[in-house]
Amino acid sequence: METAMTFEYAPAPESRAIVTIKPKYGHFIGGKFVAGSKHFPTINPATEEVLSQVALAGKAEVDAAVKAARKAYTTTWSKMSGKERGKYLYRIARIMQERAREFAVLETLDNGKPIRESRDTDIPLAAAHFFYHAGWADKLEYAGLGTSPKPLGVAGQIIPWNFPLLMLAWKVAPALATGNTVVLKPAESTPLTALLFAEVCQQAELPAGVVNIVTGDGSTGALIVNHPGIDKIAFTGSTEVGKIIARAVAPTKKSVTLELGGKAANIVFEDAAIDETVEGIVNGIFFNQGHVCCAGSRLLLQENVAEEVLHKLKNRMEKIRVGDPMDKNTDVGAINSKEQLTKIVELAAAGDSEGAERWSPACNLPAKGFWFAPTIFTGVTQAHRIAREEIFGPVLSVLTFRTPAEAIEKANNTPFGLSAGIWSEKGSRTLWASQQLRAGVVWADTFNKFDPTSPFGGYKESGWGREGGRHGLSAYLKGVSHE
Ligand code: NDP
């Protein structure tokens, strides 16, 4: 008799001993930690354990941070040579590398993402953004952005919870390299790595006030957006809040960049290499629990390979390990908050009620914390809410098409335009499709690849402007086109 052989994974927990979380945090203003007045808890979404009490910045704290940033801008940072600014950025990058394990553990505790991702993706990429922009600091005249590019002044930066430290790096590194100073607000549910970054700024002896970090909720974000002492707003988050910000800054002289939502099409043509494609589909939607603005959340399959792809995809999904984010074997961790879980549950229920067919592999989800099993919906039509709205969770909507022209038509039938994926072995088809797609980033035979040299940003309701690369520098300089 033949017996099936199974290999069980032994637990492989990462130790949390490397991080010291204080019971209470204040704000980082003018190079110092200052006590907050009101506080709110930040929790570990995998266990619901309260990690710390974090300060909620009101008008007085935001005013103080903007004042400190202005002072640093006029007295120090805008006067310093690019070469000197670059040295600070290199120093920050190196300290982030030295303290990478600490950052990764803290990110996973506060966010719920698998340690494997925070360790191998978020933190190395965050450091890479500082290294890359350090290199630009003394070469701005050669970036093709004018012979004497000038900074904008004080930048107000508001970031989301899906890649806390990485989004901080996307915002802070280009701002500093171009000579601006910043007031940054991390998301309410993931403030801890930004506060550790404040310690790194101290360790790097960055001049006081160049980076200011105020923690809080949406009301703190609104105070930054509406502050008259701020010259530029950089925001990453929901399209809904992006629209509020666009309205708020419209009558002012503030510059603005918005990186908003997406509903990316991941298109599989009949000639694609199916096994590699299945890996790309899984990475496209289940990486970071699907909390990714550029996630490949709409899978478009050419009809004659749909059955084979779905069969292999389901087999692959059976092997996804969902659970303790601190375990080094975990593929999918916790949903970042109860609110986000509620949103995912509601949208998935809309998928059921509108007639799509739901499938998830069997998984044992932990009793405590916020969890959602990797899920696919087949039989999805373009009118379904799960094909139109950003779910921002591990939920994939599958549609089919017959001709390449139909694939493009369906892919572009969305108010968003952040990213797209193409799977095909024909170079000519890939080039043709990438030119038709109205998306800021198009990946071919891969997905979710990020690099500081590559500009990132959207069309339509996915946002304004670009971050990263030479294009991203222009968003922090005076009189340079942002596209
Ligand atoms: P938000 O857009 O509300 O949050 C992004 C940041 O903006 C946070 O720091 C938030 O503060 C802040 N903020 C909230 N309201 C305002 C305001 N009126 N003025 C200025 N800043 C504000 O996203 P949510 O966290 O509420 O997520 C909702 C949905 O947005 C998700 O389900 C997902 O679909 C999408 N999303 C998209 C992201 C992307 O990268 N494109 C990232 C995050 C979410 P705080 O969180 O502290 O209240």
Side-chain angles (χ1 to χ4, degrees):
M1 197 181 79
E2 215 177 282
T3 50
M5 208 167 12
T6 56
F7 294 95
E8 293 299 328
Y9 283 83
E14 172 73 45
S15 162
R16 65 189 275 178
I18 196 164
V19 298
T20 310
I21 304 177
K22 297 182 187 128
K24 202 183 228 186
Y25 285 89
H27 308 285
F28 183 64
I29 298 174
K32 293 194 194 79
F33 281 94
V34 296
S37 39
K38 284 188 198 156
H39 289 82
F40 61 92
T42 182
I43 66 164
N44 177 345
T47 58
E48 299 177 55
E49 169 203 2
V50 173
L51 295 170
S52 183
Q53 297 291 330
V54 180
L56 177 83
K59 190 170 180 311
E61 289 94 345
V62 171
D63 274 345
V66 173
K67 213 168 152 195
R70 176 64 58 192
K71 187 169 168 219
Y73 177 73
T74 42
T75 60
T76 324
W77 202 245
S78 65
K79 295 205 169 133
M80 197 182 274
S81 69
K83 190 174 158 200
E84 289 304 309
R85 286 200 309 273
K87 285 186 193 168
Y88 285 105
L89 287 165
Y90 277 122
R91 208 182 277 173
I92 289 171
R94 281 196 298 267
I95 298 171
M96 284 172 87
Q97 282 189 324
E98 280 162 19
R99 300 181 71 173
R101 186 58 63 113
E102 195 180 343
F103 270 111
V105 170
L106 190 60
E107 197 76 300
T108 285
L109 289 172
D110 205 18
N111 171 282
K113 64 174 71 204
I115 186 74
R116 195 160 51 77
E117 289 181 6
S118 48
R119 185 195 62 196
D120 298 348
T121 305
D122 293 59
I123 312 307
L125 267 177
H129 271 267
F130 279 94
F131 277 117
Y132 173 73
H133 286 96
W136 270 124
D138 63 346
K139 301 174 196 70
L140 294 172
E141 307 89 277
Y142 310 106
L145 303 170
T147 48
S148 179
K150 296 276 182 300
L152 296 169
V154 176
Q157 307 185 317
I158 299 160
I159 55 171
W161 41 262
N162 53 344
F163 294 95
L165 187 73
L166 184 56
M167 288 302 104
L168 174 150
W170 279 31
K171 299 277 179 285
V172 174
L176 265 47
T178 46
N180 300 273
T181 57
V182 309
V183 175
L184 176 129
K185 188 197 89 67
E188 188 181 343
S189 64
T190 54
L192 295 183
T193 47
L195 293 165
L196 183 58
F197 178 79
E199 284 180 28
V200 169
C201 292
Q202 287 182 323
Q203 202 182 336
E205 294 174 10
L206 186 71
V210 172
V211 167
N212 302 276
I213 294 175
V214 288
T215 51
D217 61 12
S219 66
T220 310
L223 286 167
I224 294 174
V225 169
N226 294 304
H227 200 289
I230 279 182
D231 302 295
K232 189 229 157 68
I233 295 293
F235 171 79
T236 296
S238 62
T239 296
E240 191 191 348
V241 174
K243 286 180 183 176
I244 296 173
I245 293 176
R247 278 188 214 107
V249 300
T252 74
K253 63 171 180 46
K254 288 174 190 151
S255 303
V256 64
T257 38
L258 302 172
E259 205 269 271
L260 311 176
K263 193 74 194 175
N266 202 3
I267 309 172
V268 180
F269 289 104
E270 58 190 352
D271 55 289
I274 302 294
D275 290 341
E276 286 84 342
T277 302
V278 166
E279 289 306 311
I281 295 167
V282 167
N283 169 31
I285 186 63
F286 301 124
F287 170 63
N288 203 34
Q289 296 70 245
H291 300 327
V292 184
C293 48
C294 53
S297 54
R298 279 186 302 150
L299 178 64
L300 267 57
L301 299 177
Q302 194 149 11
E303 219 170 68
N304 49 343
V305 291
E307 204 177 313
E308 182 187 355
V309 173
L310 284 172
H311 175 72
K312 289 190 166 173
L313 177 61
K314 286 178 179 176
N315 277 348
R316 175 66 181 82
M317 283 172 67
E318 302 270 6
K319 297 186 182 69
I320 292 176
R321 297 171 57 80
V322 185
D324 180 8
M326 290 290 276
D327 191 305
K328 288 175 238 176
N329 292 321
T330 292
D331 299 311
V332 172
I335 299 302
N336 179 253
S337 66
K338 197 173 183 183
E339 292 73 35
Q340 189 58 29
L341 178 59
T342 306
K343 188 185 160 190
I344 299 167
V345 169
E346 273 174 14
L347 271 165
D352 296 329
S353 63
E354 289 184 337
E357 193 180 323
R358 186 200 291 236
W359 183 88
S360 291
C363 3
N364 286 327
L365 300 178
K368 275 209 135 185
F370 315 124
W371 304 93
F372 199 89
T375 298
I376 56 174
F377 276 98
T378 50
V380 177
T381 73
Q382 296 187 80
H384 285 164
R385 281 183 68 196
I386 55 168
R388 308 203 63 77
E389 296 178 32
E390 188 175 44
I391 301 175
F392 225 63
V395 182
L396 179 66
S397 302
V398 185
L399 296 92
T400 57
F401 66 89
R402 287 186 184 163
T403 63
E406 189 190 339
I408 301 297
E409 186 76 30
K410 285 186 168 164
N412 286 338
N413 182 10
T414 166
F416 300 111
L418 194 54
S419 64
I422 301 167
W423 297 86
S424 167
E425 289 213 316
K426 280 198 173 76
S428 56
R429 175 168 285 168
T430 300
L431 290 174
W432 170 82
S434 62
Q435 282 171 345
Q436 312 295 314
L437 290 166
R438 297 290 292 159
V441 179
V442 180
W443 286 293
D445 295 326
T446 187
F447 211 93
N448 277 339
K449 280 267 181 273
F450 306 102
D451 191 283
T453 63
S454 173
F456 184 92
Y459 285 90
K460 302 193 275 185
E461 292 191 15
S462 288
W464 295 345
R466 295 291 177 266
E467 290 185 296
R470 204 175 56 81
H471 298 73
L473 295 173
S474 68
Y476 286 94
L477 294 169
K478 269 189 191 139
V480 185
S481 154
H482 288 183
E483 291 275 332

